[in-house]
Amino acid sequence: KAGVTQTPRYLIKTRGQQVTLSCSPISGHRSVSWYQQTPGQGLQFLFEYFSETQRNKGNFPGRFSGRQFSNSRSEMNVSTLELGDSALYLCASSPTGEKVGELFFGEGSRLTVL
Amino acid sequence: GQQLNQSPQSMFIQEGEDVSMNCTSSSIFNTWLWYKQDPGEGPVLLIALYKAGELTSNGRLTAQFGITRKDSFLNISASIPSDVGIYFCAGGTSYGKLTFGQGTILTVHP
């Protein structure tokens, strides 16, 4: 069974630009969560989607947004990039999200903002 | 917001030694989990705990969900070189949302 796939793995952007990251969950998983990982703040929850609906949201500004498609694939977008947005963005999937925490993480997309 | 205090921040041990790390919180969690992250990869779930007082083992790993629901510990017995990595505790409350500790960096000397 293929794992969680995230693309792109690495990307470099400049301040003010926007970026879109993609996540394909494990086949059959309908819940997708996104996390930001930085050395200073650690792993922080961004949002969770299930059946194309955002069910949960972390404490990030509105520049961070996401969506989920009918095939459970998800994208997250960051607009007006800031230097502090440089991070590893991790996507995780679970069958329904009901069993909190049994998340299967992808390898992440490493974003560098210059 | 919720915060988890994970300790120790790092550990340097000899192969074969046992390891203990723990996590405390000022808030109650419904679920406690332990993940391990290797360089260049996402975290991998080691153990999930769903009931206060629950003690669960997974091979050489043992973890407990504290009675107060505000803490958890992880023990690794007879460490081996492949145990090297960063270990994270995480508390779960609702859909997909985990609050992570800052991590424990484990180094195992052969």
Side-chain angles (χ1 to χ4, degrees):
Chain A
K1 203 174 198 183
V4 176
T5 304
Q6 291 188 244
T7 56
R9 288 292 313 279
Y10 303 91
L11 66 167
I12 299 174
K13 294 284 186 178
T14 56
R15 279 181 298 174
Q17 288 186 312
Q18 74 161 9
V19 66
T20 298
L21 309 177
S22 180
C23 172
S24 293
I26 292 172
S27 178
H29 286 194
R30 296 168 61 193
S31 168
V32 174
S33 304
W34 288 89
Y35 285 79
Q36 181 196 64
Q37 186 173 28
T38 60
Q41 298 298 317
L43 281 148
Q44 293 192 295
F45 173 75
L46 282 156
F47 26 66
E48 188 260 3
Y49 288 87
F50 178 82
S51 291
E52 303 178 66
T53 300
Q54 185 183 89
R55 291 194 300 192
N56 214 341
K57 189 177 187 304
N59 298 322
F60 279 80
R63 300 185 297 107
F64 292 81
S65 63
R67 59 176 176 169
Q68 186 181 36
F69 303 95
S70 59
N71 62 358
S72 295
R73 192 177 69 84
S74 177
E75 289 181 348
M76 69 162 282
N77 184 77
V78 187
S79 63
T80 318
L81 285 166
E82 301 176 359
L83 295 179
D85 297 333
S86 294
L88 180 66
Y89 290 88
L90 291 160
C91 168
S93 75
S94 72
T96 64
E98 300 286 345
K99 216 163 188 181
V100 177
E102 287 199 8
L103 302 180
F104 296 84
F105 284 87
E107 294 179 317
S109 293
R110 184 165 295 282
L111 170 65
T112 301
V113 181
L114 302 177
Chain B
Q2 297 170 319
Q3 288 189 347
L4 297 188
N5 297 309
Q6 185 174 347
S7 64
Q9 286 188 314
S10 61
M11 303 183 74
F12 298 83
I13 62 171
Q14 291 291 129
E15 183 177 356
E17 290 184 351
D18 297 344
V19 172
S20 286
M21 56 191 79
N22 68 81
C23 236
T24 60
S25 170
S26 58
S27 303
I28 290 174
F29 288 101
N30 299 325
T31 310
W32 279 94
L33 307 108
W34 288 89
Y35 283 83
K36 181 188 178 206
Q37 186 174 26
D38 292 327
E41 299 188 8
V44 173
L45 179 66
L46 298 175
I47 291 182
L49 303 153
Y50 296 101
K51 287 170 56 176
E54 180 181 358
L55 183 71
T56 297
S57 293
N58 178 8
R60 295 179 295 106
L61 277 58
T62 302
Q64 184 157 31
F65 189 149
I67 286 290
T68 65
R69 293 165 63 191
K70 293 183 178 181
D71 62 300
S72 177
F73 72 75
L74 173 71
N75 288 340
I76 305 173
S77 63
S79 59
I80 58 178
S82 62
D83 290 334
V84 165
I86 305 177
Y87 292 78
F88 292 97
C89 62
T93 51
S94 56
Y95 302 122
K97 182 177 181 178
L98 298 181
T99 300
F100 281 86
Q102 289 298 97
T104 295
I105 302 172
L106 179 63
T107 304
V108 180
H109 294 288

